[in-house]
Amino acid sequence: MKIRRFSATAFAAALLIPGLAACNGDGTTAGASATPSASGSVAPSATASSSAAKQALLDSTNAIREGNFKFTMTGAGSTAEGQVHEPSQSADMRMTIGDPSSDLMMKLDLIHAKPDSWVKLELGGTAAAQIPGVKNLNTGKYHHLDQNRIKGNRSLGFDFEKLDPAGSTVLTQGITEVRQTGEGAYEGTVDVSKAAEAGSLDPAVITALGAQAQSVPFTAKVDTQGRLSEMVLKIPAAGQNAAQDLKITYTDYGNAAAAQKPPADQVVEAPAELYNLFN
């Protein structure tokens, strides 16, 4: 059986995730015409220009680059949550891909405390028994990772030069159209055709989208301080892939905590089967 490559910092190769690559284009469209709301008032989109709306979203990611926040990502039956704490050069993430009733389910608990990394796995589903060395992986303990073996591997490593697992900073740069729809609310389209290099989307999904990849609908929200709090990519159906939403949220800016290293008695060295699974 061919096991599809999993992407831990992004979800799985079967799903969408971290660091969407930016489109170099800066094209925007004129703001929408005034539209009465249900209460009869004029929506903010009537006065906010498209260029101003895009700049607001570009600016909304500045706080993310400070590297002190919590995040979540959900899409296509998978979830991820965690926190980044750049002051201590640490981060932790918990991911669930699929469920026990699916062919393959994977839960990951990743901890990064530079220069070390650990991962605890739980593999399940009807096909789990076919994974080579599954007993060496389902130990219930944290596997200490050899940094030389995961160097440059987005699946198991964490780049403290690129602190955002979701890559929203470069994602906003790929916006092609946007308008403000309410207080701190926006919608528009983004070009994800170059996202494969960053690993946010399964390259097969991007290929299947074809020309649709250049104008994927999105919505976004910012908090009262103008910081990005939510972005939702509405990926259309293409090929064998059903339509799905990829939702990214950010909370607790400036209030994340240093990741806690696993207890020594809960740590084993990662076996070869683990590296093989993610390469």
Side-chain angles (χ1 to χ4, degrees):
M1 180 185 73
K2 181 180 180 181
I3 303 298
R4 303 183 71 181
R5 180 182 67 84
F6 286 98
S7 174
T9 56
F11 272 88
L15 183 61
L16 316 135
I17 311 219
L20 283 167
C23 167
N24 290 329
D26 189 39
T28 55
T29 59
S33 59
T35 303
S37 66
S39 62
S41 62
V42 176
S45 55
T47 57
S49 69
S50 178
S51 59
K54 181 172 181 177
Q55 189 60 51
L57 289 179
L58 289 171
D59 293 343
S60 75
T61 65
N62 290 340
I64 297 174
R65 292 195 291 274
E66 295 176 9
N68 193 325
F69 58 86
K70 295 180 180 179
F71 69 92
T72 68
M73 291 182 284
T74 60
S78 296
T79 63
E81 64 176 0
Q83 62 181 345
V84 176
H85 191 252
E86 195 278 337
S88 64
Q89 294 279 278
S90 67
D92 59 62
M93 307 177 194
R94 294 160 300 283
M95 279 153 264
T96 300
I97 303 164
D99 59 69
S101 64
S102 60
D103 288 344
L104 188 60
M105 179 274 293
M106 175 182 277
K107 291 184 178 181
L108 304 97
D109 186 346
L110 276 159
I111 299 175
H112 304 283
K114 198 172 182 179
D116 292 300
S117 298
W118 302 263
V119 62
K120 180 166 66 174
L121 291 87
E122 178 185 341
L123 296 166
T126 57
Q130 300 178 49
I131 296 177
V134 65
K135 291 183 179 180
N136 292 331
L137 301 174
N138 274 349
T139 63
K141 293 190 174 184
Y142 286 89
H143 299 278
H144 180 252
L145 300 169
D146 182 341
Q147 296 299 304
N148 291 324
R149 300 186 70 172
I150 66 171
K151 188 175 182 178
N153 186 329
R154 290 191 216 129
S155 299
L156 296 175
F158 187 85
D159 186 351
F160 283 95
E161 297 299 318
K162 299 177 182 178
L163 295 167
D164 181 11
S168 294
T169 297
V170 289
L171 175 58
T172 56
Q173 294 171 357
I175 291 173
T176 53
E177 296 182 21
V178 61
R179 74 179 196 278
Q180 188 173 358
T181 58
E183 186 67 31
Y186 302 85
E187 67 177 26
T189 57
V190 60
D191 185 344
V192 301
S193 63
K194 299 179 181 180
E197 178 63 25
S200 291
L201 292 169
D202 180 357
V205 173
I206 297 174
T207 299
L209 286 172
Q212 293 183 98
Q214 299 175 18
S215 57
V216 172
F218 80 92
T219 61
K221 296 178 182 178
V222 301
D223 64 16
T224 56
Q225 297 185 48
R227 302 171 300 193
L228 186 65
S229 59
E230 177 185 293
M231 178 170 282
V232 179
L233 291 176
K234 299 182 177 296
I235 311 298
Q240 298 180 348
N241 304 305
Q244 55 189 293
D245 287 354
L246 171 60
K247 182 178 180 180
I248 305 163
T249 70
Y250 298 92
T251 60
D252 294 289
Y253 285 104
N255 295 312
Q260 298 299 306
K261 298 179 181 180
D265 62 355
Q266 292 297 309
V267 174
V268 296
E269 287 300 316
E273 290 87 350
L274 188 145
Y275 300 107
N276 293 337
L277 178 65
F278 286 88
N279 288 328

